[in-house]
Amino acid sequence: MYQYNEQDQTLIEERVKEFRGQTQRFLTGELGADQFRALRLMNGLYVQTHAPMLRVAVPYGLLSSKQLRKLASVARDYDRGYCHFTTRQNVQYNWPALERVPDLLAELATVQMHAIQTSGNCLRNTTSDHLAGICRDEIEDPRPYCEIIRQWTTLHPEFAFLPRKFKIAVSGATHDRAAVQLHDIGIYLVKNNAGEIGYQILVGGGLGRTPIIGQTIRPFLEKQHLLSYLEAILRIYNLFGRRDNKYKARIKILVKETGLEKFKAMVEQEWERIRDHMVLSEQRIAEMKAHFAPPSYETLSDNDPSFAKHLTGDLNFAKWVKYNTVDHKVNGYQAVYISLKAPDSPPGDITAEQLEAIADLADQYSFGEVRSSHRQNLVLADVKQTDLFTVWQKLDAIKLATPNIGTVTDIICCPGLDFCSLANASSISVARELNSRLDDMDYIHDIGDIKINMSGCMNGCAHQSVGHIGILGVDKHGEEWYQITLGGSSENEAAIGERLGPAVAKDQITTAVTDILDVYVQQRLEDEAFLQTVKRVGLEPFRERVYANH
């Protein structure tokens, strides 16, 4: 993984020093609340319902074991013993004391971590495929380009105060695991007809109040022009994005109202002006790739006898392997999903003790690295097949071996009304109730890949618009209600879910979801996935069942 140089380290240490002074001035009354608001947001600090919330950047979801241990100690010393992984692969602390946040940031800086640009109207954390570098469908590892983008976006002087927040995602595989089409700028590594690898650039995607799927603005862009083309897009957005209405300030609205062709013409004109002055050299790319060189894999077989014996001898282990591991591009290795969706835990939450245990597992079995996914789980990317049984046992001992990746209980969930000051309705309690109702693992596994995404407000932090089943919390006269959408997807065939009907009361939402699942089981053809059934039969059978008694 990328290692900070002296310049990188100095930057984050100076930022901590700067924010320490700003915080002290606020606490002594020298800075007003409005003045401090802009400063704290630039350092990832929000004011939530109960306490400040600090969002920590995890660039493209990659963490070292040393960083995991620091996250654990911070959770223990500055929070309430846990933290939360988000849909942007970041980490959030929900209970830090404001006056101690500078000390917290200083601790993070010792392991090359920070909270710069994790909030506010700026260029946010660049996200990517959590299986980058190891998946069999990869065209090229996207992480070197993610790091190049990270360095370009960090404290960019022209884009510190954009009309609205701005998000970029990069994928190097044929299967989109990074929701690329739902970002302000999406980037796919692709091959042209000559076999050359470059970028397909998408623009104008986004979720929230007005979910829109991004459109291709450049089908193929040569590698040397990556930064200049991104710069051109950002310049046009910065010039013409609306600042009078925050609900219409995202680039997706600008592209929609301007029209893709006109927007592209403006971008191309700006790009022609700057492209020769921002060339990304082959040397720079090669230097960055060296930071992501493959580890020292052993020469192994995919048919280890002891692994096969454990598979046939332990049904629980076999189930975990089926759902929580994935094929690796190197024979004899598997990627292991660590589910943060245990039935009795809020989705995405993890304790300090669990973080430390995972750090130990990473050091022992996965070259000292861990990844976070946009579905709020973790990944040990490089586990030997011969070690899987031991890893499973150790994960099971710390309640991190729930075999539910890609199932209906692998729920994306925002903090909701329990923590967030913006939320209209609860999320965590509803997720817990759903998990409790769907506690039959045989049933869960039988119905296959169904993604539930649930947000407590229109900001859509949990991507409810693109859930197979989307749940959105709304406020009706002080009561919590939930709108349901079906048919969304954030993968290759990205789609915005269609609203099923009127909102459902909180005490009825779990039954509504189980009704939807029952209709699917009744209507599906053999081996037909949930999205295929919804597309084939339409919403009406689901609508009739859910609203039959309303």
Side-chain angles (χ1 to χ4, degrees):
M1 63 187 295
Y2 179 76
Q3 298 297 308
Y4 279 14
N5 58 29
E6 184 178 350
Q7 182 179 0
D8 295 318
Q9 191 64 36
T10 299
L11 186 151
I12 61 171
E13 289 175 357
E14 288 296 316
R15 188 57 177 266
V16 172
K17 181 180 178 181
E18 177 186 62
F19 187 58
R20 187 183 298 280
Q22 293 166 347
T23 303
Q24 290 171 347
R25 284 154 54 203
F26 170 69
L27 292 173
T28 58
E30 295 178 59
L31 286 176
D34 288 342
Q35 291 172 305
F36 185 61
R37 180 180 182 275
L39 300 174
R40 64 173 170 78
L41 287 175
M42 292 171 67
N43 290 277
L45 190 63
Y46 290 79
V47 174
Q48 297 288 63
T49 301
H50 305 294
M53 181 273 281
L54 181 71
R55 182 178 296 137
V56 179
V58 182
Y60 38 93
L62 191 58
L63 288 159
S64 69
S65 59
K66 185 176 181 181
Q67 290 172 329
L68 280 179
R69 292 189 180 92
K70 179 58 70 175
L71 291 175
S73 70
V74 165
R76 189 177 289 115
D77 297 340
Y78 294 87
D79 206 279
R80 295 188 174 182
Y82 73 97
C83 61
H84 175 78
F85 279 89
T86 78
T87 53
R88 292 205 62 72
Q89 302 178 293
N90 289 326
V91 169
Q92 290 181 180
Y93 292 101
N94 288 313
W95 298 97
L98 173 60
E99 63 273 14
R100 298 191 69 202
V101 169
D103 293 335
L104 191 166
L105 293 173
E107 292 265 6
L108 292 174
T110 64
V111 293
Q112 303 185 1
M113 297 190 77
H114 60 79
I116 297 170
Q117 293 177 209
T118 58
S119 60
N121 296 336
C122 59
L123 293 158
R124 299 289 186 91
N125 184 47
T126 298
T127 57
S128 191
D129 184 353
H130 50 272
L131 300 181
I134 63 166
C135 53
R136 294 186 175 183
D137 65 329
E138 191 164 77
I139 296 169
E140 187 177 334
D141 189 343
R143 293 174 299 172
Y145 307 101
C146 290
E147 178 59 29
I148 288 169
I149 292 170
R150 184 198 72 81
Q151 294 183 19
W152 167 72
T153 59
T154 301
L155 301 185
H156 193 301
E158 189 173 346
F159 306 137
F161 297 98
L162 293 167
R164 271 301 257 129
K165 57 188 175 183
F166 201 95
K167 301 174 180 180
I168 300 173
V170 188
S171 174
T174 58
H175 181 189
D176 184 356
R177 288 172 285 265
V180 170
Q181 297 174 68
L182 285 312
H183 285 72
D184 299 283
I185 292 178
I187 303 171
Y188 290 116
L189 283 156
V190 294
K191 285 185 179 181
N192 64 12
N193 293 333
E196 301 167 324
I197 297 176
Y199 321 98
Q200 177 187 355
I201 309 294
L202 292 83
V203 70
L207 298 174
R209 190 174 297 270
T210 309
I212 296 176
I213 296 170
Q215 302 177 73
T216 298
I217 188 172
R218 187 91 182 180
F220 187 86
L221 178 72
E222 294 80 5
K223 285 186 176 181
Q224 68 267 28
H225 297 309
L226 175 64
L227 295 185
S228 61
Y229 203 81
L230 298 187
E231 178 104 3
I233 293 173
L234 263 296
R235 287 188 180 191
I236 296 303
Y237 170 55
N238 205 22
L239 281 170
F240 298 106
R242 292 183 61 172
R243 297 175 187 270
D244 62 322
N245 185 334
K246 69 176 183 178
Y247 301 117
K248 297 184 178 181
R250 297 289 293 269
I251 193 173
K252 61 187 178 183
I253 303 300
L254 177 62
V255 173
K256 182 179 179 180
E257 293 183 348
T258 305
L260 180 63
E261 289 308 311
K262 183 177 178 181
F263 182 83
K264 178 178 180 179
M266 291 191 291
V267 169
E268 295 280 331
Q269 183 178 12
E270 180 66 19
W271 181 52
E272 287 295 329
R273 195 171 67 84
I274 66 174
R275 58 185 287 182
D276 294 335
H277 305 289
M278 293 186 65
V279 174
L280 182 60
S281 69
E282 292 183 8
Q283 180 182 353
R284 174 83 188 284
I285 294 173
E287 289 171 352
M288 196 57 70
K289 284 184 175 181
H291 286 280
F292 300 92
S296 301
Y297 294 118
E298 296 180 24
T299 302
L300 301 170
S301 168
D302 267 341
N303 300 302
D304 178 70
S306 64
F307 172 66
K309 183 178 179 180
H310 286 307
L311 276 181
T312 56
D314 194 314
L315 294 179
N316 290 327
F317 172 63
K319 191 172 291 183
W320 176 81
V321 168
K322 180 178 179 180
Y323 288 94
N324 288 38
T325 72
V326 65
D327 289 342
H328 197 290
K329 70 178 183 181
V330 177
N331 289 340
Y333 288 84
Q334 294 280 104
V336 169
Y337 283 102
I338 301 173
S339 173
L340 302 187
K341 312 292 176 60
D344 57 350
S345 299
D349 280 9
I350 187 168
T351 68
E353 292 74 22
Q354 288 172 325
L355 284 167
E356 289 167 338
I358 292 171
D360 291 341
L361 288 175
D363 282 338
Q364 292 173 324
Y365 302 106
S366 194
F367 299 101
E369 290 184 0
V370 175
R371 289 106 176 277
S372 57
S373 77
H374 92 275
R375 291 201 63 83
Q376 298 177 290
N377 295 305
L378 300 179
V379 177
L380 294 171
D382 303 295
V383 179
K384 294 178 187 176
Q385 191 182 81
T386 53
D387 291 329
L388 284 175
F389 188 74
T390 301
V391 170
W392 169 67
Q393 288 179 312
K394 292 186 175 185
L395 287 173
D396 190 48
I398 55 174
K399 298 184 178 180
L400 291 176
T402 305
N404 65 344
I405 299 300
T407 72
V408 72
T409 60
D410 184 12
I411 300 171
I412 289 182
C413 179
C414 74
L417 201 59
D418 296 289
F419 294 100
C420 182
S421 59
L422 301 175
N424 298 313
S426 304
S427 297
I428 294 173
S429 59
V430 175
R432 186 178 289 115
E433 186 177 329
L434 277 169
N435 263 313
S436 178
R437 186 78 67 90
L438 299 168
D439 62 355
D440 184 340
M441 275 293 172
D442 289 334
Y443 174 72
I444 290 169
H445 295 149
D446 179 63
I447 59 177
D449 180 12
I450 300 178
K451 295 179 172 64
I452 297 179
N453 298 359
M454 179 164 47
S455 292
C457 78
M458 289 296 296
N459 284 331
C461 295
H463 302 183
Q464 87 284 344
S465 300
V466 290
H468 296 177
I469 301 173
I471 303 173
L472 170 64
V474 295
D475 177 16
K476 281 192 174 185
H477 310 295
E479 296 182 352
E480 298 172 58
W481 289 66
Y482 297 85
Q483 294 175 352
I484 301 171
T485 55
L486 297 184
S489 174
S490 62
E491 299 179 48
N492 292 56
E493 301 297 326
I496 306 300
E498 294 184 64
R499 186 178 297 182
L500 188 63
V504 174
K506 184 178 182 179
D507 62 358
Q508 298 169 349
I509 185 61
T510 299
T511 298
V513 172
T514 56
D515 284 344
I516 289 167
L517 298 178
D518 287 344
V519 171
Y520 163 56
V521 171
Q522 294 163 7
Q523 294 280 346
R524 67 179 174 179
L525 303 178
E526 186 177 358
D527 297 326
E528 189 175 49
F530 179 79
L531 287 181
Q532 293 173 319
T533 300
V534 172
K535 187 174 182 179
R536 178 175 57 82
V537 306
L539 298 189
E540 197 55 38
F542 300 95
R543 187 177 289 127
E544 288 178 0
R545 177 68 176 271
V546 169
Y547 299 107
N549 300 316
H550 300 289

